[in-house]
Every structure is written in C-alpha cells, then in structure tokens.
Amino acid sequence: MKNLRWEILIAVGGLALVVGLLLGQGPTPASDLSQPVQGGVYTEGLVGTLARLDPILDFDHPVDRDIDRLIYSGLVQFDSRGIPSPDLAQDWAVSADARLYTFTIREDAVWHDGEPVTADDVVYTFSLFQDPAYPGPADLHEFWDQVTILRLDPKVVQFELPEPFAPFLDYVSVGLLPDHLLRGVTVSHLVDHPFHTEPVGTGPFRFSSYLLEGSAIRGVSLEAFQEHVGARPFLERIEFRLYDTPSEAMAAYDSGLIQGFGSVDASILPEVLAHPGLSLYSARVPRIGVIFLNLAHAEKTILAEKQLRQALLLSLNREWMLGQVFPGQAVVASGPILPGTWADPEGIAPVPFDAQRAAEELDALEWTIPVGAAPGTPEYVRTHEDEILTLQLAYPDEAPWREVALLVQESWASLGVRTELVPTSPEAILSDYLEPRDFEAVLTEMDLSRFPDPDPYPFWHDSQIESGQNYSGFNDRNTSIWLEQARITPDLGQRAEFYRSFLHRFQDQVPALLLYYPVFNYAVDSSVQGISLGPVWDPSDRFSNVTTWHLLARRGEPVASPPPTP
C-alpha cells in the first residue's frame, strides 16, 4: 500500500490560464438586499465530445466529468482547502490502527428514481475498481485490489486496508452507481450498457435528456433534483452544449446560445477579458512546472551538491520568466504542496530571485569565471580543476516549453553555467528520461489533479528512488520519516506538522527546481450570481457550490441558500 497512490501524470500540454482573479473572487452581487429565488436555466458551452456519463469511466473525458459532477455524488466531498466533509455519508469512523474506515449512509439519501442509497451501492461501485478488466489507471485497480469491502448492514459499509493510509478518503469521493439498476453488470459490460442513455445518480441535478442535432448528441439537459441531500439548487435547469473549438463556443455566447464557458482557452482569452458581459473566475490548479535534477547521476556528481542546486534556483527570475511566457497565466511556486490547502503552512514563501547570492554559492564551491571574461561571451563560463560547468536540459519540443527552456538557458548563462538544450517529444519525457533516470535535468510538469490529499510521498520518499516517481533520486532520511508518518496518521493537524517540517527541508535541500502553478479560468455571464471559485482539484470543481448559483432574485433579506428538502 505504501507504494500505491493514484498514478500521478507528467503533463506537457500547453496552458490556457490566467492569474487575474486567483483566489476565485468573482463579482459582488449587484445588491446586498437581493434574495435568490428558484428558477431559471443556465446553459454552458463545453469544448469536446461526450463518451458516457459514468463516474467510474470518465477519467480521460473532461466533458463527461463536468456533467457527472452534477449528476453523481460520493460518500465524502472536499472543500477548496482539501478538507473532507460528509456527502452521502452521514459520518465515518477510523479505527485506532487506521486500517478500518466505517461509513454510515444518510437515511434521507435517495437516487434520482426515488430508491434509497444503501451499502449495496457502495459495494457495487468500488468492486468495479477491483475488476481486472477495469479500463482506468492501473494504480487505481492495484490499490482497490488490496482493499476488503464489507457490508455491515443496509446503511453501513466498512473498508479494510492492508495498512494505514491517510489519503484513503480521496478514494471514496468518487460518484456512486446504483446497485439496484446495475447489479451483476461487470465493468466490461458497463462500458456500453444502456444505463448511460438515461443515467441515474444522487447529485444536485438529474438527467433529463440529450440535446440532439439530427442523430448526433450535441448536449445534455439536467433538471434540479429536489430530494438532493444537500441544499436544493436555485437553478431550475442546467444545460450543456458541445462545441468543437473554443472559438465556436465564443460565437455561441455572442449569439446568446450559452451563458458560460467550461474553461477559457488562450485563443479566446482576449475576447473574454474585453467582453463587458462576462465575469472571469480564476483559481490555482493542482499542477507544478518543475525542473527535475538527477541527484544520483553517476557522472554529473556536482548535482548532488546542495549549493549548486540552490544557485540554479536563485538565478531564475521566475516572476519575470512567467511574465514573458505565461503573462498573467501562472504564479511562482513556493513548494511541492499546493498553497491554500490545509497542508500548506503559513510563512513559506517562494525562494526569491537573487543573482548575487547564486554566484556566491558557486564561488564557495570553487567554480570560478576566468578573470576578464565578459557576460554573454563564450569565455563567461565557470570551471573547476579544468572542468567546465555544463548541464543538459531535456524539454518537450513545443510551445510554451521551448520558451521556458530558452529563458532557463539564458538565466544560467548569466551565472556562468553552460546549458545544452535537448528537445524531445512530450511523450519521451517520461519514457526516455524520467523513468530510466537517464537525464541531468528535465523540464516538465507534475499533474496532481483529481485528488485533494497532498501526499508528496511518491515523488520524494527514498523508497521511490529506484522504480517509483522519485525521479530526482532525493535520498533524505528526515524527509522520508516525515512523509511516512504523515501517510499513516489520519489526524490532519498532526499531518500538517509533518508536512511543515518536510516543506522547510525541501526548500533548504532543493531536490528539484519548482517554477510555477498554473491557473484555471472560468467565464460566466454576469447575470449568473452566487458563483465562487477557490483552488480546484479538477476543472469540474467549479460546480462545488452550484446550489447557490442563481439567475433570479427579489428584494429582501439576503440568504445563503434555501433549506434542504426534509
């Protein structure tokens, strides 16, 4: 279990983000005295195609995930800080040895067809991950294959883990499927099952119909579910319309066909920013731009020197670099645990740009520049005992990575470090460089999406050096002890203390050069009120407070939301 975690991907796609409203603060309602009332239809444009509305099978389908977020719900949910709270579960208990998790399902939880939610639904849903034919990430199947699922009574289910694993709550936030409609259906048969023609969930909105153009599905219509266990939505209906390109979605907004965009692509960002009727909401997303350094490189032993790594980071004016490549689309990274979460302690700021201190660090290691050598000349390079200080930097050979790599090369040249750029395909970054540990430095991006728990163990624990995701070969016993303890301690307060120690140690040791956090952007017509957007774990998290969204209001005392249905 210790070596198993959701498969963390190395993302190398381009960014289409902006930093403008990073904390997700949208426009203030026009009047403090307006009181939301139920009614109205919100229509959103999504770019892409629909596969099937199924939370078990939507891993690689962002359009499906967006819609599934409204149709389905799980045992637990997470807020923008990554703190869990009950959803379909009334509560849960963790055993003293942190191996047994027992969930009690809410008595008032019902499916969209009126049937009660039971332990059978939980058993059925998670048994699908245990099926050898599960088509999703292999790590997820391997994880669930070690978990025993027990139905204790119609409303109580228990999960038995082979060993303590604090991030477990992440794994039970997935939307449940109805056993009473799918009993006996294996994951292989579920892929093309007719259930997907009219899916049934427990979320705040229920499936109403597909929107068709001829025989082609061009959207989905959802209606508010009045028996939702949380607050009743103000919106009467939400519709999603599908488009092939962001520009088509923008044209649809201009034509009055939609009121929002699932995400704002860079190609339409200028139009969105200039449009007086659109409100832009932005939030940090769980990805980190990074340069991995091979601390265990057999020949380039200088990478094992902490002072060299510190110098390389200090020489990067990251704020200026991001302004050149991602103007307003990313923020400087402070550490491997995302800011704004329960695990991120106050007081840990990004390492500042300091070219003078960077030079002093290399001077202390006796890497010197020839007397009289001028910056920008071939002679301006550091040497030590006739060895020239050079590094090979592999990077994905496409925008924006070329621009980032060139700026890194330029920054290190000003420090006297010669950088040989090695362009390669995005796919080869993982297979040809990181996994075989055949690199000196690699520019890439860590994707920590979908799961709110920080769990830095896979990337920085010493057990992951040989075949795990500790690509840097960071071998630090103190770090490994803190990460081990945090992984087996359910208490968030205690875990936060372990992570505080880890983050301070990381910033001192610099096992990798963290560059930036990207930002997700969401544009909605200003007529839609009640939206707030904090840090997101997946773009579909923009719907986390969808029950407060409203189009209609009347004068009166403001209220947060209508009371839940008894």
Side-chain angles (χ1 to χ4, degrees), residues 30-37 552-558:
S31 171
D32 289 338
L33 296 178
S34 64
Q35 177 179 327
V37 296
L552 307 176
R554 63 170 178 264
R555 302 285 293 182
E557 292 298 322

Side-chain angles (χ1 to χ4, degrees), residues 354-375:
D354 192 334
Q356 180 177 344
R357 183 182 160 200
E360 291 170 353
E361 295 286 3
L362 293 187
D363 290 340
L365 291 173
E366 299 182 353
W367 289 92
T368 59
I369 294 175
V371 177

Side-chain angles (χ1 to χ4, degrees), residues 217-249:
I217 295 176
R218 299 303 299 170
V220 175
S221 179
L222 309 178
E223 61 184 14
F225 180 45
Q226 300 302 322
E227 287 76 39
H228 180 237
V229 293
R232 291 196 306 267
F234 286 117
L235 295 172
E236 178 183 345
R237 185 178 296 272
I238 290 182
E239 293 187 346
F240 294 94
R241 295 186 177 272
L242 306 180
Y243 299 94
D244 295 328
T245 66
S247 60
E248 288 182 14

Side-chain angles (χ1 to χ4, degrees), residues 445-475:
E445 190 172 284
M446 298 160 54
D447 190 335
L448 311 176
S449 300
R450 305 288 307 273
F451 281 71
D453 195 280
D455 192 26
Y457 182 103
F459 278 106
W460 313 113
H461 191 271
D462 56 21
S463 69
Q464 306 299 296
I465 291 175
E466 296 297 327
S467 58
Q469 293 175 296
N470 187 346
Y471 303 119
S472 293
F474 184 42
N475 192 353

Side-chain angles (χ1 to χ4, degrees), residues 202-281:
T202 58
F205 287 83
R206 61 191 299 173
F207 176 84
S208 177
S209 65
Y210 288 109
L211 307 178
L212 303 177
E213 289 183 4
S215 60
I217 295 176
R218 299 303 299 170
V220 175
S221 179
L222 309 178
E223 61 184 14
F225 180 45
Q226 300 302 322
E227 287 76 39
H228 180 237
V229 293
R232 291 196 306 267
F234 286 117
L235 295 172
E236 178 183 345
R237 185 178 296 272
I238 290 182
E239 293 187 346
F240 294 94
R241 295 186 177 272
L242 306 180
Y243 299 94
D244 295 328
T245 66
S247 60
E248 288 182 14
M250 188 72 221
Y253 174 77
D254 289 333
S255 300
L257 297 176
I258 62 174
Q259 297 152 287
F261 305 90
S263 65
V264 178
D265 185 84
S267 62
I268 61 171
L269 179 59
E271 292 180 77
V272 170
L273 291 172
H275 205 295
L278 280 169
S279 300
L280 189 69
Y281 301 84

